[in-house]
């Protein structure tokens, strides 16, 4: 009896050991699957941000070119200054231009207005050996003051007479201006050799 019992126990031990061996073989396999699943999860996690970054990159609007300033027109300042430049009442004696410092009064303002749309020509006649005088053709505002004239003085006499002096006289006149670029000798040469005409242009 002892021998068969020992054989039975031996067979049972072999069976138990075989079962343990199978259990050990199964455990590493499951552990391996767990390891694979664990390693696969980070792969998915790392792929998601990459895809999101790719989508975000495609959605970023293209860099816009810097706005180009509209071309500015040429500086209009010179034209404005030219338009605002004050007109000058120009005078010629027998075709010779002379520079006149005009008075700032009502008579000169009216004379400029009278010459605005025309070149005014005034025939002058010698008088008294010291002046040339002629009719303007219209009456200007008077502001007569007793005056002792000098060579180059221009005055209004009797409201409608234009007088240019190359000598001296004392009378009540409205001052119009003074010729500044001619000496007494030059004015005498221009005015003392017979009747002349003057032109005024504004």
């Amino acid at each position: 009896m002892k021998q068969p019992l020992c054989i039975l126990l031996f067979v049972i031990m072999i069976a138990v050991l075989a079962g343990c061996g199978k259990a050990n073989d199964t455990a590493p396999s499951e552990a391996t699957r767990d390891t694979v699943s664990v390693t696969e999860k980070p792969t998915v996690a790392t792929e998601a941000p990459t895809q999101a970054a790719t989508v975000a990159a495609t959605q970023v609007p293209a860099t816009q070119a810097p706005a180009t300033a509209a071309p500015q027109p040429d500086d209009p300042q010179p034209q404005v200054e030219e338009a605002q430049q004050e007109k000058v009442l120009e005078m010629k004696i027998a075709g010779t231009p002379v520079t006149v410092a005009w008075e700032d009064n009502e008579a000169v303002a009216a004379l400029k207005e009278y010459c605005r749309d025309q070149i005014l020509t005034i025939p002058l006649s010698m008088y008294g050996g010291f002046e040339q005088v002629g009719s303007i053709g219209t009456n200007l505002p008077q502001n007569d003051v007793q005056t002792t004239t000098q060579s180059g003085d221009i005055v209004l006499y009797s409201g409608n007479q234009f007088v240019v002096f190359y000598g001296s006289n004392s009378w009540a006149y409205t001052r119009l201006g003074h010729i500044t670029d001619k000496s007494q000798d030059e004015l005498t040469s221009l005015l003392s050799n017979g009747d002349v005409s003057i032109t005024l242009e504004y």
Side-chain angles (χ1 to χ4, degrees):
M1 290 297 292
K2 291 183 178 180
Q3 186 174 358
L5 181 60
C6 290
I7 294 171
L8 179 61
L9 290 174
F10 182 76
V11 171
I12 291 173
M13 289 179 62
I14 291 173
V16 170
L17 291 173
C20 291
K22 291 181 180 180
N24 290 333
D25 293 341
T26 304
S29 177
E30 291 176 354
T32 302
R33 286 199 299 270
D34 292 340
T35 303
V36 171
S37 63
V38 170
T39 57
E40 288 177 354
K41 289 180 181 179
T43 303
V44 175
T46 55
E47 289 177 356
T50 303
Q51 294 176 354
T54 303
V55 172
T58 57
Q59 292 179 350
V60 174
T63 304
Q64 297 179 353
T68 303
Q72 298 295 326
D74 294 337
D75 188 3
Q77 185 175 358
Q79 296 179 358
V80 173
E81 291 179 354
E82 183 177 352
Q84 294 178 347
Q85 186 176 4
E86 185 180 357
K87 292 184 178 181
V88 177
L89 183 60
E90 298 178 347
M91 176 174 164
K92 294 179 181 179
I93 300 175
T96 301
V98 293
T99 300
V100 179
W102 298 100
E103 295 289 327
D104 183 12
N105 57 30
E106 293 182 358
V108 173
L111 182 61
K112 290 179 179 179
E113 187 65 28
Y114 188 62
C115 297
R116 184 179 297 275
D117 298 323
Q118 63 175 329
I119 298 176
L120 179 62
T121 299
I122 304 176
L124 301 181
S125 299
M126 294 181 62
Y127 180 82
F130 50 80
E131 69 183 30
Q132 291 259 12
V133 57
S135 176
I136 297 173
T138 188
N139 289 314
L140 302 179
Q142 291 179 252
N143 185 22
D144 291 345
V145 176
Q146 187 67 28
T147 304
T148 299
T149 64
Q150 298 177 351
S151 176
D153 282 345
I154 303 170
V155 300
L156 177 69
Y157 170 70
S158 191
N160 59 10
Q161 300 294 308
F162 193 90
V163 185
V164 183
F165 286 91
Y166 57 93
S168 180
N169 188 38
S170 182
W171 200 262
Y173 302 113
T174 297
R175 299 189 68 90
L176 297 178
H178 182 81
I179 299 172
T180 60
D181 65 336
K182 303 295 181 186
S183 66
Q184 183 173 359
D185 290 341
E186 290 172 325
L187 285 172
T188 299
S189 177
L190 282 173
L191 298 170
S192 65
N193 295 314
D195 298 345
V196 297
S197 291
I198 69 164
T199 56
L200 298 174
E201 182 176 3
Y202 185 55

